[in-house]
C-alpha cells in the first residue's frame, strides 16, 4: 500500500511530518485543539470522531508502517480515534 495525498501517516520523522495529508490533519487539530481542551468527555469523543470522519470523507486513511516488512497498512477506526485524541492533547 502506498500513502496517498489525503492519507495520514502515523509515525515520526520527516516523511510523516512533511506529508500533505498530515499537514491537513495538523491543521484540523489546531482548529479544534482549544475546544477539545475545554470539552467534556462526550464532547471530546465527538470532536475526535468528527476529525476522523473528515479524513475519511476526503478518501483519506490512517496508515502505519510495519517495522518488519516496511509496508504501510491501514489502522482500525479505534486506533485512528486514539491517534487523533493524542494529537489534540499535545
Amino acid at each position: 500500500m502506498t500513502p496517498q495525498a489525503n492519507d495520514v501517516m502515523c509515525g515520526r520523522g520527516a516523511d510523516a511530518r512533511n506529508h500533505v495529508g498530515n499537514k491537513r490533519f495538523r491543521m484540523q487539530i489546531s482548529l479544534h485543539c482549544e475546544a477539545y481542551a475545554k470539552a467534556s468527555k462526550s464532547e471530546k469523543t465527538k470532536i475526535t470522531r468528527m476529525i476522523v470522519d473528515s479524513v475519511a470523507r476526503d478518501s483519506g486513511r490512517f496508515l502505519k508502517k510495519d517495522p518488519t516488512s516496511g509496508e504501510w497498512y491501514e489502522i482500525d477506526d479505534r486506533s485512528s480515534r486514539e491517534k487523533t485524541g493524542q494529537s489534540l492533547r499535545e
Side-chain angles (χ1 to χ4, degrees), residues 23-78:
K23 290 179 180 179
R24 286 189 195 129
F25 177 70
R26 285 194 308 271
M27 188 176 352
Q28 288 188 22
I29 294 297
S30 67
L31 290 172
H32 296 95
C33 199
E34 188 175 332
Y36 185 87
K38 297 176 182 177
S40 68
K41 183 167 175 56
S42 64
E43 291 168 331
K44 287 179 180 183
T45 300
K46 288 178 186 177
I47 293 169
T48 57
R49 166 61 57 202
M50 181 181 58
I51 294 171
V52 170
D53 289 349
S54 175
V55 170
R57 269 193 310 279
D58 291 336
S59 300
R61 305 164 293 178
F62 285 80
L63 304 178
K64 190 171 185 175
K65 196 174 209 175
D66 182 284
T68 305
S69 69
E71 295 290 320
W72 289 96
Y73 64 94
E74 188 171 358
I75 61 174
D76 63 18
D77 193 58
R78 180 179 179 193

